[in-house]
Structure formats: C-alpha cells, structure tokens
Amino acid sequence: MTEPIEIRRIGPEGAAALHSVIAAAFGARPPLDPPADADSETVETVAAALEEYGGLVATSDGVPVAGLIFDRVADRVFLRRFGVVPAAQRSGIASRLVEEAVATATTIGLGEDGRDPLAAVAVVARAELPHSVRFWTRNGFRQVAGEPPYLQLERVVRLVLDTPDAASMRAFGGRLATVLRPGDLVVLTGELGAGKTTLTQGLGAGLGVRGDVTSPTFVIARVHPPLGDGPALVHADAYRLGGVAELDDLDLDTSLDDAVTVVEWGEGIAEGLASSRLDVRITRATGTTPPGIDGADPRRVVVVPIGARWRETDWSALG
Ligand SMILES: Nc1ncnc2c1ncn2[C@@H]1O[C@H](COP(=O)(O)OP(=O)(O)OP(=O)(O)O)[C@@H](O)[C@H]1O
Ligand SMILES: [Mg+2]
C-alpha cells in the first residue's frame, strides 16, 4: 500500500472514527462463544472508554483503518479493541500501530497519583483465534496468564528487582546472563559504589568467562574470554572513557559481535554503540532497611530493554 498512513492520538472526540474501525474489524471475525464485547460497542460506549486514557486511530488518506483504546490497570497498560479493517490488513499497519501504541503507553499515567511507572503493555486475545495470538507473539508479546478462551499477552517495558545484599546482586547477574547472547550490550548506570561491578561479577560467573571481574581501573575495557563455548565478556568503564572515545575504536581482542559487552556508567556514552541494548539502573533502595543494619544495603535494579533484540526474550528467569 502506498497511501499515506497517519496515526494520531484520540480522545472521546475520535469515538465515531474508532467505532467504525471496531465495527468493521470485529464484524469480520468468525462468531465467538462467548461473543466478544466489541460486537456490542456503540459510539457512546467507545467515547466513554476513551475518556480516561484515550486511544489511537490510524487513517489512510483520511479514512480510519485501524485503532485501539488504552486502559491502564495498576502498572500495566492494556491495548483494548485493537483492530484493523479487513481492507487494510496485511499492509504492515498493524505492526506500526503496535509500536506506536507501546511508545505512547509508556507515557500514560507516569508519575501521576504516586503510581509505579509502567511495567508492561498487555493485550487480551482469544485462544480460538490463533492467527491473532501469533500476531501478538510476532510483535514481541508473550503469553503470561489468562484462562482460555481469554489469553493475556504482555510486552515488558520495565523490570524492577530488589537485591538486599551483594550476594543477591551477583545472583541477579547470573540470572541476567541466561538471557544474553553474543553481540548484546548492557549499559549499567548508578552512582559510585552502586553495585555495577558487583552485578558484572555475577554476569561473568553466569557466562562462564575467565578472570576475576574487577573495576577496569587502568584499562578502559577488559576482555574476559569464555571458558567454554559461550561468548566473551567485554567489561568497559565509560567513566574512564572520559565520554569521548568510542568502544568500537578500541583495539580489543574480540569482536563486539562475538561478546557480551557491559559498559559501566555508560549513560549518554554507550548508546551510540547499538540500536538495541539493555539499560540497567541501580539505585540504593529507600524506604526499606537503613543501610548498615544487619549488613543489609539493599539496591533497586531497574531493567529497561530497548530495541527489537528483546522482542522474543522471556524475562521470567530474572524474577
Ligand atoms: N545490595 C547490594 N548490591 C550490590 N552491592 C552491594 C550491595 N550491598 C552492598 N554492596 C557492596 O557495595 C559495593 C558496590 O561496589 P561496586 O564496585 O560493585 O560498585 P560500582 O557501581 O561498580 O562502583 P563504581 O562507580 O566505583 O564503579 C561492593 O563493596 C558491594 O559488596
Ligand atoms: Mg565499578
């Protein structure tokens, strides 16, 4: 299709346009038992559903062809009534709408009412419609819960973990190693002594690489070769890069494509390295045990997967 497609955010004023999409898209599906609620939507019910968080409508030459409604529930944003009219299906519009929806969802309700930032974008799909389930899987959603015929699928936008002590930070690094593969970039940020190197030690142990992982004090980056047939670990300290040198230009004994690269303090420096990366932020947890009591010095770890690399990743191992 060559027509210009435009995706815009709508509120209740966009109800008529979105309702026309819902009627055409859901009307074209086979009858379901129990019937989908979408079948009984009216312009008024759609307007009411758009009241709180709005939705998206995609138009092709001004004609509405796809859309959805946002619905925030605790730390998740559900995409409701996601539909594409039959004439516009297989045009790539559905996947574009998903990307736009995920980007928009991350801004919905953030920081309001003291609520937690978003953890995941979720959808409910009908088990009787396997092509629909496959569509969500192709677009980075994984089945997490739900009772047939209702399946819940989610795409993780942010994982939060608490580590009470250094040993549990290392254990977390070990679990993180299980989701990484050659070519991956992990950017660790956190203040001095936050635990970036401690996490990397666990990662090195989990990957099974040679040498002790320590702060790369006198070298900008250290290569830990694999003991087995896994990837090498490249451990770099962007603080010492001074913010100018590029890791790519360093003469390392390995290609970054064959290694897992971890950059400490890489914010604003390492991002240019790869279009996909894992952002890991470590902060001293507050509101829990004061540091020092019983040796506890808890840290909060926030993992934000960025880019297409993580679409298929099963994050359940990190929990
Ligand atoms: N929950 C915890 N998680 C991580 N480290 C902890 C924790 N509790 C205590 N520690 C201790 O805090 C210190 C963290 O130091 P580490 O070198 O890992 O920090 P860093 O972020 O790499 O610092 P730098 O900015 O100097 O590179 C270690 O001595 C570790 O044993
Ligand atoms: Mg360090």
Side-chain angles (χ1 to χ4, degrees):
M1 280 226 281
T2 51
E3 303 95 291
I5 300 266
E6 194 192 317
I7 298 176
R8 65 187 160 92
R9 184 91 185 263
I10 55 164
E13 82 292 341
L18 182 55
H19 179 258
S20 71
V21 170
I22 294 171
F26 288 81
R29 302 198 312 187
L32 296 171
D33 182 25
D37 296 339
D39 299 343
S40 52
E41 290 275 27
T42 63
V43 175
E44 289 70 34
T45 60
V46 171
L50 287 168
E51 194 70 51
E52 199 163 7
Y53 302 109
L56 294 178
V57 157
T59 52
S60 175
D61 280 340
V63 180
V65 291
L68 61 94
I69 300 171
F70 293 115
D71 180 20
R72 180 153 177 156
V73 181
D75 59 358
R76 279 163 170 69
V77 166
F78 282 81
L79 310 182
R80 310 269 194 211
R81 305 287 184 263
F82 184 100
V84 179
V85 302
Q89 279 166 16
R90 277 171 290 281
S91 65
I93 178 62
S95 293
R96 272 187 57 193
L97 190 59
V98 171
E99 293 316 309
E100 191 70 25
V102 170
T104 307
T106 57
T107 68
I108 288 177
L110 269 186
E112 289 168 16
D113 315 326
R115 285 192 295 193
D116 275 345
L118 196 67
V121 177
V123 293
V124 175
R126 291 290 288 254
E128 311 97 297
L129 302 175
H131 72 279
S132 160
V133 175
R134 274 199 303 277
F135 166 77
W136 290 110
T137 309
R138 263 203 323 278
N139 284 279
F141 287 68
R142 295 181 62 89
Q143 194 181 324
V144 292
E147 279 294 305
Y150 304 102
L151 305 178
Q152 185 167 325
L153 296 101
E154 293 189 352
R155 192 153 127 186
V156 165
V157 296
R158 182 174 172 276
L159 290 142
V160 180
L161 302 111
D162 290 309
T163 62
D165 52 31
S168 79
M169 182 67 88
R170 282 191 199 93
F172 169 70
R175 296 198 300 278
L176 187 59
T178 67
V179 305
L180 298 176
R181 59 183 194 219
D184 283 346
L185 170 66
V186 180
V187 178
L188 301 179
T189 43
E191 61 188 27
L192 274 165
K196 302 181 290 296
T197 299
T198 306
L199 193 164
T200 311
Q201 286 166 349
L203 198 58
L207 291 174
V209 296
R210 195 170 341 131
D212 288 339
V213 172
T214 57
S215 277
T217 308
F218 299 110
V219 290
I220 293 170
R222 183 174 286 136
V223 179
H224 297 271
L227 292 166
D229 43 7
L233 171 67
V234 173
H235 181 204
D237 198 331
Y239 192 55
R240 292 176 181 89
L241 283 175
V244 280
E246 294 245 334
L247 247 194
D248 268 338
D249 297 336
L250 296 177
D251 191 17
L252 299 172
D253 285 340
T254 177
S255 152
L256 295 185
D257 290 341
D258 299 330
V260 166
T261 301
V262 175
V263 182
E264 287 195 33
W265 213 304
E267 197 164 31
I269 296 169
E271 275 81 345
L273 283 176
S275 54
S276 289
R277 64 178 191 273
L278 206 58
D279 272 355
V280 180
R281 288 158 197 283
I282 308 175
T283 49
R284 279 175 200 273
T286 51
T288 54
T289 322
I293 297 197
D294 298 333
D297 192 0
R299 305 289 203 273
R300 172 153 291 186
V301 185
V302 176
V303 178
V304 179
I306 296 181
R309 152 70 181 95
W310 312 103
R311 294 265 182 88
E312 312 281 302
T313 305
D314 178 358
W315 299 102
S316 53
L318 295 198

